[in-house]
Every structure is written in C-alpha cells, then in structure tokens.
C-alpha cells in the first residue's frame, strides 16, 4: 500500500480526519461488478498516545464517588472494560463515513454516522476494525517520523 503524504500532513496540521476508500474485501465483496460500484469511505483521525491513555483510564473500573479507583481487585483484567475501551477508541477514530446505505435497492437511505452505527458496522464486518487500525497506525507512524525529522533538522 502506498502512502499519500499530503493526506497525512493535512491530518498533522489540522488535527482532522482524512478520507480513505475502504477496499471491497474488507466487506467480503468479491464480485467484480459489485466491487466497481462500491464507494465506501471512512474519515479517520490519528490516535495519539494522550487519547489512548485517556480512553484506557476511562475504561478502567471501578471508581468511587471521589473518582479514585477502589482496590476491589488487583487483577487488571477484572477492572478493564474492553468493550467500553473499544467504543471510546473507534468512536474517536471514525470521524465520519459515507457510501453506506440501508433499504431496498433503488430506495436506499444513507446511514448516519452515530456511535451506535459505528459500533454496529464493526460488529457486522469483523475485518473493518483491523483495516481501520492499520490506517491509523500508518497515520501515527507518519506523524511520528515527520516530527523526528523536524527535530533532527533543528
């Protein structure tokens, strides 16, 4: 896969998402005619370490009234809510999508990009989360390399 450097610079400078066309195989479509018609795009944002830590903290439970973690269990698996973390992560990363519709052919309505729909798509299409993670990792790596190059050139 080739990287479009211009896209990643836009993300770095504007802290916004960038539109990516999703390959048909992510949705399990193999028919060449259907592949040609498919135009599904996702607008994805970088996932910085700061946000990752914030989401990890929010997904770690339980909390008492003052906001401090109770020491009810020393096992992190008992305190970390994987589903909550997954929802926080993908609802942050997926800024928008287009080309996804519902209804009968000829009477299709676009699906709105809501948290519920984001998570529903990830449940229906198991390869979608892997594809999104790959794209976001590419964005994060590019931004990291750009920052390192800027520091090196100082």
């Amino acid at each position: 896969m080739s990287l479009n450097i211009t896209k990643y610079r836009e993300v770095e400078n504007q802290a916004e998402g960038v539109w990516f066309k999703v390959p048909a195989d992510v949705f399990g479509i193999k028919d060449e005619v259907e592949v040609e018609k498919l135009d599904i795009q996702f607008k994805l944002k970088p996932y910085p370490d700061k946000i990752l830590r914030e989401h990890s903290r929010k997904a770690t439970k339980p909390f008492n009234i003052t906001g401090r973690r109770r020491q009810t269990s020393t096992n992190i698996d008992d305190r970390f809510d994987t589903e909550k973390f997954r929802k926080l992560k993908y609802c942050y990363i997926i800024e928008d999508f287009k080309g996804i519709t519902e209804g009968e052919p000829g009477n299709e309505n676009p699906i709105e990009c809501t948290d519920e729909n984001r998570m529903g798509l990830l449940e229906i299409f198991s390869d979608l989360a892997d594809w999104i993670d790959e794209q976001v990792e590419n964005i994060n790596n590019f931004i990291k390399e750009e920052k390192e190059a800027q520091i090196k050139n100082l």
Side-chain angles (χ1 to χ4, degrees):
M1 179 182 133
S2 63
L3 297 177
N4 184 334
I5 293 173
T6 306
K7 284 184 178 181
Y8 295 115
R9 285 203 175 108
E10 287 175 14
V11 168
E12 181 182 11
N13 294 334
Q14 298 174 8
E16 284 187 8
V18 173
W19 288 102
F20 291 90
K21 184 172 179 172
V22 183
D25 62 334
V26 170
F27 296 104
I29 299 172
K30 308 258 188 261
D31 184 319
E32 289 183 31
V33 174
E34 291 296 318
V35 168
E36 290 298 319
K37 288 194 266 181
L38 188 71
D39 186 26
I40 297 175
Q41 297 181 29
F42 275 72
K43 189 174 186 182
L44 306 176
K45 293 193 290 191
Y47 196 53
D49 290 339
K50 177 182 175 183
I51 303 297
L52 172 85
R53 285 190 300 273
E54 180 184 323
H55 290 168
S56 295
R57 183 185 52 76
K58 287 180 179 179
T60 302
K61 60 182 180 181
F63 290 93
N64 66 15
I65 294 172
T66 62
R68 296 187 186 139
R69 292 184 187 97
R70 285 185 268 162
Q71 296 300 319
T72 56
S73 173
T74 56
N75 185 352
I76 191 68
D77 292 336
D78 293 342
R79 296 184 307 137
F80 191 75
D81 187 343
T82 307
E83 285 303 311
K84 182 174 184 176
F85 176 77
R86 189 171 195 263
K87 182 175 182 178
L88 289 167
K89 175 184 175 181
Y90 289 109
C91 289
Y92 176 84
I93 290 172
I94 302 170
E95 194 170 323
D96 200 1
F97 55 76
K98 58 186 173 184
I100 301 174
T101 59
E102 64 181 346
E104 297 298 317
N107 191 23
E108 300 164 333
N109 297 315
I111 294 177
E112 191 176 330
C113 186
T114 63
D115 290 352
E116 184 180 333
N117 289 338
R118 287 177 180 108
M119 298 313 295
L121 288 170
L122 292 171
E123 287 177 28
I124 294 168
F125 303 105
S126 57
D127 291 342
L128 183 58
D130 294 336
W131 178 83
I132 289 171
D133 288 340
E134 183 181 320
Q135 302 313 308
V136 171
E137 184 177 345
N138 289 339
I139 293 171
N140 290 341
N141 287 340
F142 180 81
I143 291 171
K144 180 181 175 186
E145 289 169 8
E146 284 285 303
K147 287 181 180 177
E148 288 173 356
Q150 288 174 356
I151 291 170
K152 186 177 178 182
N153 291 333
L154 292 178

